[in-house]
Amino acid sequence: MNPIPLLHEKHILLGVTGSIAAYKAVDLASKLTQAGALVDVILTDSAARFVTPLAFGSVTGRAVYTDMWALDAHVRHVGLGEAADLLLIAPATAHTLSKLAYGQADNLLTLTALAARCPIVVAPAMDGGMWQHPATRANVATLSERGVLFAGPVEGRMASGLSGMGRMLEPLELLGEARRVLARGGPLAGRHVVVTTGPTREALDPVRFISNRSSGKQGMAMAQAALDAGARVTLIAGPTCELPPYGALVVAVQTTQEMGEATLAGTADADALLMVAAVADFRPQTVADRKIKKTENAQWGLAIGLEKTLDILTAVKERRDRTGFPRIVLGFAAETHNAFEYGRDKLLRKGLDFIAVNDVMAEGAGFAVETNRVILLGRGGVVEEMPLQSKAAVAERLIEHVAGALGND
């Protein structure tokens, strides 16, 4: 886990209650700490039957609180509640949801929740039909009306062996939820940003296709950076093994035509389009309806006729000239030579506001690596030359420029 600027020295109060899912909370505390957050943990008595304070103290390097009757507890709960940027209760049992809904304060966690002035996120975890029980639904409705945020639960296998709704989200998903909540009020708050990522595939027959080497890493980093800036993000993703960031609305596509249609639909009223995807520029003129066999060369030959695919950015420009949306468009130019010249030409031809140009032949800046080196061009020339750094760091700088261009409009 790499440091996350959004979480740097943020005070996160992690409440852990008595569920078998408490073991996941140790991993969550570790990930939050590695990301740069200051994590204070409150364990209920029931939680301490599943996991120990020592486990949490070992991964956070900070004190762990359990006793409401300690000499300083009457001050401690106020201090913890008021200092926290986020109170995250994971796992949250049905019993704890009931206590929170009725304002009970019979342990240090529920006492602190009453004193908290920060956002409260609960990650429910319960077995059987407990999540669907009318009492639980009523408590959830009450807490939601008061502004408490719910992360999950999801369907899955329970500790009892049953399957259903009630399984706690995984630590990485809860980390994403913490980022989403802490990003509220960021420079892109209230903005809709569309990001395209990954390659596209153009079928030759049912088992073969034409594509490229794009991994989707830079596009995923751009989507996460936009989320961290507070944006509502639509992520249009071609085939990629990279996990999309938590909180993005994902639209999965295969072909350039599908990506183009999804992009035009998604940007009809969008504030920004970040066209990071490396689309296939050509497709076979003819697609076989069954696998082409070597023994059929006499019929198919060894030549493949190609035709151009949809030029997505040109289609966006034509619609943008009519409607004004999306307000800002940032493109990417992955080149193997004359990168600056090709990038500047693409910027002008396609009416972009920005283009991030990178030479994929340069060491550490190609496909399927964790780093990148780009030159950001605007209509007035070079905006910034970014040295070799992580794709996440590149994404954060690019998002800053996009947010600045949008301003307060």
Side-chain angles (χ1 to χ4, degrees):
M1 176 64 62
N2 294 319
I4 298 171
L6 178 66
L7 296 182
H8 179 64
E9 294 193 349
K10 286 291 193 299
H11 285 83
I12 296 181
L13 191 54
L14 176 61
V16 184
T17 70
S19 162
I20 185 59
Y23 78 92
K24 296 182 181 180
V26 179
D27 185 28
L28 174 60
S30 177
K31 284 180 167 56
L32 288 167
T33 301
Q34 292 176 59
L38 304 175
V39 182
D40 290 313
V41 178
I42 298 178
L43 289 179
T44 66
D45 290 342
S46 296
R49 292 177 176 266
F50 291 97
V51 287
T52 67
L54 178 61
F56 287 98
S58 297
V59 298
T60 66
R62 297 173 67 84
V64 178
Y65 304 97
T66 59
D67 188 2
M68 185 176 72
W69 301 107
L71 289 178
D72 62 347
H74 67 289
V75 176
R76 176 65 61 188
H77 76 274
V78 173
L80 289 172
E82 292 191 345
D85 295 296
L86 173 69
L87 170 56
L88 172 58
I89 304 177
T93 61
H95 191 200
T96 296
L97 293 182
S98 176
K99 289 184 177 184
L100 293 171
Y102 283 90
Q104 296 182 20
D106 62 347
N107 62 43
L108 186 58
L109 175 58
T110 55
L111 188 64
T112 303
L114 286 178
R117 297 294 179 264
C118 60
I120 299 177
V121 175
V122 296
M126 54 198 72
D127 210 334
M130 298 171 67
W131 176 251
Q132 301 297 347
H133 193 281
T136 305
R137 304 314 304 154
N139 291 332
V140 170
T142 297
L143 291 170
S144 297
E145 289 174 2
R146 294 177 188 161
V148 173
L149 304 171
F150 283 80
V154 295
E155 290 192 24
R157 185 184 183 279
M158 316 293 187
S160 64
L162 298 174
S163 293
M165 184 68 74
R167 185 179 176 88
M168 190 177 87
L169 291 180
E170 296 302 314
L172 276 176
E173 294 173 305
L174 291 174
L175 176 66
E177 177 66 13
R179 295 176 78 162
R180 188 188 68 81
V181 174
L182 290 171
R184 297 188 305 182
L188 288 179
R191 302 289 194 180
H192 179 205
V193 175
V194 177
V195 182
T196 68
T197 190
T200 57
R201 293 175 176 175
E202 304 298 333
L204 178 62
D205 64 18
V207 299
R208 301 182 181 92
F209 54 82
I210 295 174
S211 189
N212 58 63
R213 299 178 185 275
S214 174
S215 65
K217 290 179 182 291
Q218 186 66 75
M220 295 299 183
M222 292 292 290
Q224 182 64 75
L227 288 166
D228 284 352
R232 174 170 62 92
V233 175
T234 299
L235 178 63
I236 303 171
T240 173
C241 293
E242 297 295 311
L243 291 176
Y246 180 87
L249 173 63
V250 180
V251 180
V253 298
Q254 289 282 327
T255 68
T256 300
Q257 184 67 34
E258 291 172 349
M259 181 169 283
E261 292 171 358
T263 300
L264 288 171
T267 57
D269 60 354
D271 293 288
L273 167 63
L274 314 179
M275 191 72 190
V276 194
V279 301
D281 294 323
F282 305 96
R283 65 186 177 193
Q285 291 176 328
T286 303
V287 180
D289 58 5
R290 56 192 178 91
K291 181 181 178 182
I292 302 170
K293 305 294 290 183
K294 290 181 180 179
T295 54
E296 296 175 348
N297 283 340
Q299 176 184 349
W300 281 91
L302 297 177
I304 300 174
L306 300 176
E307 61 185 13
K308 291 182 179 179
T309 57
L310 172 68
D311 188 322
I312 299 176
L313 282 177
T314 296
V316 168
K317 179 181 183 299
E318 292 173 353
R319 204 268 306 279
R320 188 186 186 199
D321 289 342
R322 298 193 308 272
T323 69
F325 290 98
R327 300 181 188 277
I328 297 294
V329 180
L330 181 149
F332 268 72
E335 305 292 347
T336 60
H337 61 288
N338 297 332
F340 183 90
E341 291 76 11
Y342 284 130
R344 182 173 56 187
D345 176 66
K346 184 176 180 179
L347 171 83
L348 298 175
R349 283 189 296 107
K350 302 193 176 183
L352 307 179
D353 299 283
F354 300 103
I355 191 163
V357 182
N358 69 310
D359 183 349
V360 296
M361 302 299 288
E363 184 177 356
F367 295 120
V369 295
E370 301 297 330
T371 55
N372 207 351
R373 178 190 292 110
V374 306
I375 299 174
L376 181 65
L377 301 179
R379 294 179 182 177
V382 176
V383 176
E384 182 179 353
E385 293 190 33
M386 301 181 192
L388 187 67
Q389 57 192 304
S390 71
K391 287 183 175 176
V394 169
E396 289 158 10
R397 289 295 300 145
L398 293 176
I399 288 298
E400 288 180 18
H401 288 292
V402 170
L406 284 169
N408 297 318
D409 293 342

